[in-house]
Amino acid sequence: MFRVTETTRVAKVTGGDSPNRTAERFGIVATDLGIMWDGGDGRVFVLFGDTYGEGWCGNGAGPGTADWRRNVLAFSTSTDLASGLALDGVVEREGGGACQVIPSGGGKEVTVIPNGGIAVGGRQYVHYMSVRRWGPPGTWRTNHAGIAVSADGGRTWDKPRSARWGNLRGGNRFQIGAFTRSEDHVHLFGTTNGRHDDAYLARVEPSGLLDTGAYEYWDGEGWSGRERAAAPVFAGPVGEMSVGYHSGLGCWLMMHLDESRKGIVLRSAERLTGPWTHGEVVVSGQEYPAVYGGYLHPWSLDGPDLYYLVSQWGPYNVFLTRSRLEPATAARPTT
């Protein structure tokens, strides 16, 4: 369908030395992820994960005493992405700086990590995971995953219990998720907690977004109302995911971390159910150690330059990256 001719790191998005001066403006010294979606109001929503301010140790996440917020939300109206991703503002706390937006319940919940977002019918929806404990790199255990919703432009969020996938026994296939919209349904790609399993697919009518009982799951041949019937749409290992339709190329794009290939992979497919190409590594962990994430900018899904956000553990900050795509016919479908 296409080939990647070059990949370039454009600019740092977060951190005190970034063009956005996020430490000074928002109290964001260090953060990760940077999940993006079109908010439907002329802004791109940019949702970050665990975020730290003054006192950050300078090597990955933590400490918790360094003005720790489990997630923060920024906004961007940048259209000149070749110059970087400008952040116009954040959801602020009293006294200034970015506040935590999606609540955390405490107890056996270490943190609440956002996975994907989408705007539907004037509301914002975010798929999140409730982390119970961290394990070795690429491994963790969740209490559950769920969908948070905001009706006021991202300022406040609710986490209804009806919109949760439990993970009491482990192995639930929608603990990490990525949203996209196709025809009459919202689609949700998922995988288990961690970065080692396959990718699965669910769909729901917009009216049922906050009711996990309304979801249907791709079983390899059709749609089933049974969650356990979900079959892989492509083989892992799959980490963080982002998906969108590229109108210029006429195909779906999927970006995700692949720990076996040590980098961020870009795949494509004519249909969300596949077959998906094996894809190629567009950001190598050999060049950028401990790279992860990979979230598509929704306003770059029409031209030759594809923009997305990636994170690095050591700097523990987010970077705008560009890959140039050219149409090709050599992409090889695989399961």
Side-chain angles (χ1 to χ4, degrees), residues 67-248:
D67 193 14
W68 178 29
R69 290 141 289 170
R70 290 162 175 81
N71 47 79
V72 298
L73 178 59
F75 307 100
S76 175
T77 54
S78 291
T79 55
D80 181 17
L81 297 175
S83 300
L85 182 72
L87 300 179
D88 303 327
V90 297
V91 177
E92 292 190 346
R93 60 190 171 187
E94 186 176 352
C99 69
Q100 178 174 314
V101 289
I102 299 177
S104 178
K108 294 182 179 180
E109 184 175 82
V110 176
T111 188
V112 172
I113 302 293
N115 296 312
I118 193 170
V120 179
R123 292 186 172 190
Q124 311 299 326
Y125 297 86
V126 165
H127 185 283
Y128 68 89
M129 59 182 173
S130 167
V131 177
R132 185 181 184 90
R133 64 177 179 268
W134 296 112
T139 304
W140 59 84
R141 180 66 181 269
T142 56
N143 298 299
H144 63 267
I147 298 174
V149 58
S150 173
D152 59 5
R155 290 186 295 277
T156 61
W157 295 79
D158 294 320
K159 298 191 300 180
R161 288 190 170 270
S162 62
R164 293 183 181 180
W165 288 266
N167 199 41
L168 181 62
R169 296 184 178 86
N172 179 271
R173 296 165 181 172
F174 292 86
Q175 295 300 294
I176 301 176
F179 285 121
T180 193
R181 184 75 181 264
S182 176
E183 298 176 344
D184 297 328
H185 291 88
V186 174
H187 286 76
L188 175 66
F189 282 85
T191 193
T192 55
N193 48 203
R195 295 168 171 159
H196 304 290
D197 202 1
D198 301 332
Y200 302 88
L201 180 62
R203 72 176 187 180
V204 68
E205 294 182 0
S207 60
L209 258 167
L210 297 177
D211 176 11
T212 55
Y215 283 68
E216 297 178 308
Y217 302 88
W218 180 252
D219 65 8
E221 296 181 354
W223 297 99
S224 170
R226 295 190 312 110
E227 183 182 322
R228 289 184 176 274
V233 289
F234 62 81
V238 176
E240 302 83 24
M241 295 177 286
S242 180
V243 61
Y245 185 77
H246 195 290
S247 60

Side-chain angles (χ1 to χ4, degrees), residues 234 237-241 254-258 263-265 267 293-294:
F234 62 81
V238 176
E240 302 83 24
M241 295 177 286
M254 162 72 77
M255 183 166 278
H256 67 87
L257 177 67
D258 185 323
I264 307 297
V265 169
R267 298 174 182 258

Side-chain angles (χ1 to χ4, degrees), residues 15-38:
D17 59 347
S18 69
N20 284 308
R21 307 185 336 274
T22 60
E24 174 188 346
R25 296 171 63 206
F26 311 130
I28 301 174
V29 175
T31 190
D32 71 347
L33 302 182
I35 294 153
M36 295 183 286
W37 71 95
D38 189 326

